[in-house]
Amino acid sequence: MALSETSLIERYFRGGGAQRADVTLGIGDDAAILAVPPGHELVACTDTLVTGVHFPHDSPAASIGHRALAVNLSDMAAMGARPAWALLALTLPQADEAWLAEFAAGFAALAREHRVALVGGDTTRGPLCISVQVLGLVPQGTALRRGGAQAGDVLCVSGTPGDAAAGLALEQRRLEAPAAARDYLRERFLLPTPRVALGERLRDFASACIDVSDGLLGDAGKLAQASGLACELEFEQLPLSDALRATLGMDDARRLALSGGDDYELCFAVPASRFAQLQAQLPAQRWGYARIGVLVPGGGARVTCRGSVMEFSHSGYQHFR
Ligand code: ADP
Ligand code: MG
């Protein structure tokens, strides 16, 4: 590369996140040294974005930087963890400085918003691929898991699922949308909002939690399966954005809310006896979540509409073609 690996790291990544007192040793040595506060557990995750697979080849660099971190922060949120530190393994075809500056800015802005320090990484040459690890903290024994829901628990989702899948389809020109909806939907794909604050607060209420990355119905099904249960989603309770409804119409918007990927919302179960307290302490309007169904004995994930079970195929976005 024209730019040496060392100067690339110095220029674009050192200090490119929050400054934290618990970083004993950050970028520059063979590994980072991080101080875990007493009484806490370390929660660790990693996620990789490959060009052409997880984002279009022509995605804006700032969006790629944002998403590479956001998908990991979303995993932290699903565990109820507070993210603290990140590592960034970057594989680049060439050291394009304009691209790197934008990528690093997108990553750093989200990192600072969540007080996450970038403490290390790796830089290699090859087809564009970004792998991020995030380490976070929870008070001992309090992390949320996918398993743990009980039959009768209420199932909820944050945000308005389906928006990101429509945004990606718009990016790829597989979908048309009214002008007023277009920018909003594209941004839901390009700059997803990991629900970190909600995840942390849910430690006091949720019996199980998962982040929605592969489609709400499938991911709700994974939560149910991990809890040894089935889930039943009520079609007419699925929350929709005005933009998605205006673009697809009510029915197709709800189908996409069930099947579309890249939402990075939280799907969580709450004991029915705790639901009123959840609503009192975390008002649904302000925290942006909605009740969508219930956990029941058995297996699988069903969608019901006015009492009858819907036939739902997973090919939700075929109607874009
Ligand atoms: P090594 O040869 O020991 O792997 P490197 O030269 O790859 O060391 O990295 C030097 C330092 O820079 C290390 O602290 C490493 O964590 C950090 N680093 C390398 N690439 C990145 C990157 N893309 N983002 C953040 N830190 C990085
Ligand atoms: Mg290295």
Side-chain angles (χ1 to χ4, degrees), residues 155-310:
L155 194 65
C156 299
V157 73
S158 66
T160 48
D163 291 349
L168 174 59
L170 285 165
E171 283 290 288
Q172 297 175 327
R173 303 181 192 289
R174 290 184 287 122
L175 177 70
E176 307 257 296
R182 206 173 301 138
D183 288 349
Y184 167 83
L185 293 172
R186 288 181 60 236
E187 189 169 311
R188 296 316 299 152
F189 173 77
L190 293 172
L191 302 173
T193 311
R195 305 298 180 184
V196 175
L198 177 61
E200 276 198 76
R201 296 296 300 271
L202 286 176
R203 290 204 306 261
D204 294 337
F205 299 98
S207 52
C209 188
I210 187 170
D211 87 313
V212 180
S213 52
D214 299 331
L216 176 58
L217 184 57
D219 288 332
K222 287 182 195 165
L223 181 154
Q225 187 176 22
S227 300
L229 297 168
C231 64
E232 210 166 273
L233 275 58
E234 181 56 50
F235 192 65
E236 295 191 332
Q237 287 183 355
L238 293 168
L240 298 176
S241 67
D242 293 342
L244 193 66
R245 209 168 39 212
T247 301
L248 294 180
M250 191 79 101
D251 209 63
D252 278 351
R254 289 209 165 107
R255 287 175 194 277
L256 190 62
L258 289 166
S259 66
D262 299 310
D263 291 313
Y264 303 105
E265 296 295 348
L266 296 180
C267 177
F268 55 97
V270 179
S273 60
R274 300 276 288 144
F275 192 61
Q277 225 169 344
L278 169 75
Q279 287 177 297
Q281 287 189 31
L282 306 180
Q285 276 293 339
R286 190 167 146 247
W287 287 84
Y289 65 89
R291 174 185 180 142
I292 55 166
V294 67
L295 288 138
V296 294
R302 285 190 295 281
V303 183
T304 62
C305 189
R306 299 173 196 194
S308 52
V309 176
M310 292 178 72

Side-chain angles (χ1 to χ4, degrees), residues 6 35 51 94-95 123 135 142 168 181 184 203 226 237 257 279 319:
T6 310
T51 186
Q94 73 268 323
T123 309
L135 302 168
T142 65
L168 174 59
Y184 167 83
R203 290 204 306 261
Q237 287 183 355
Q279 287 177 297
H319 56 257

Side-chain angles (χ1 to χ4, degrees), residues 5 9 13 27-30 88 90 118 120-123:
E5 186 186 346
I9 295 160
F13 297 111
I27 291 176
D29 213 303
D30 288 313
L88 168 63
L90 197 53
L118 180 61
D122 192 28
T123 309

